[in-house]
Amino acid sequence: MRITERTDADLDTLVEVLWRVHTDGYPATWPDDPRAWLCPEGLLGAWVAVDDDRIVGHVGIAVPGPGRMPEVTRLFVDPSHRSRGLADGLLDAAERFAPGPHIRLDVTEETPAAWRLYERRGWRLTGTGLADWSKPSGETPLLRYYAKRVG
């Protein structure tokens, strides 16, 4: 397993991996343009996890707007490659690259495996709140907000 900086050439493969991840519910709504979704506004850097010469995971760091704290975004691992430390490796890369002393992320309440990963890695729960988006069912999920000191 290795973590490398993402290139534009990785995007088509990442869309395929994202589709497999989507069958587990992430993202809740399939994006109209998944390549663009992988490149959110304010993206500072992105990395891929490679296992057996196949891209199987992704993470990014973005600053979503002026005055906002850097955040971990678009973290996912192919379901067939989970429980191999890939999410930890991706988070290591993102945390090392993050500008400033703190980073943040949010995760849905209904994904305890994800928020347990963050808590195990020293992320602190800072609050909860309703998402500003809805699932295809119309339900607005509850988000858990986390922060971590990295500097």
Side-chain angles (χ1 to χ4, degrees):
M1 185 256 328
R2 68 184 194 282
I3 306 298
T4 64
E5 215 169 322
R6 186 187 83 191
T7 68
D8 288 344
D10 298 330
L11 290 173
D12 288 335
T13 301
L14 282 166
V15 169
E16 293 171 14
V17 175
L18 184 63
W19 178 252
R20 290 190 294 276
V21 171
H22 178 63
T23 63
D24 281 352
Y26 179 81
T29 302
W30 184 251
D32 292 333
D33 183 350
R35 284 176 59 103
W37 185 86
L38 289 164
C39 304
E41 183 177 337
L43 186 68
L44 301 176
W47 298 266
V48 295
V50 179
D51 194 23
D52 294 328
D53 295 323
R54 292 180 39 218
I55 293 174
V56 295
H58 178 269
V59 70
I61 287 284
V63 176
R68 301 276 305 273
M69 187 183 304
E71 63 183 32
V72 171
T73 187
R74 312 310 196 242
L75 173 61
F76 58 89
V77 173
D78 189 307
S80 67
H81 285 74
R82 292 184 182 152
S83 300
R84 298 183 187 182
L86 297 168
D88 280 306
L90 289 163
L91 282 168
D92 284 343
E95 291 171 9
R96 279 193 309 272
F97 181 83
H102 296 92
I103 54 176
R104 64 167 302 279
L105 60 80
D106 56 60
V107 63
T108 61
E109 179 71 28
E110 63 200 31
T111 55
W115 47 264
R116 285 186 190 121
L117 165 71
Y118 304 133
E119 290 174 0
R120 178 178 54 78
R121 292 184 52 86
W123 288 78
R124 287 185 316 103
L125 179 66
T126 61
T128 61
L130 291 175
D132 61 359
W133 50 272
S134 298
K135 294 166 46 170
S137 66
E139 176 189 2
T140 302
L142 181 66
L143 297 179
R144 297 170 66 97
Y145 301 107
Y146 285 88
K148 185 173 186 180
R149 182 168 181 80
V150 292

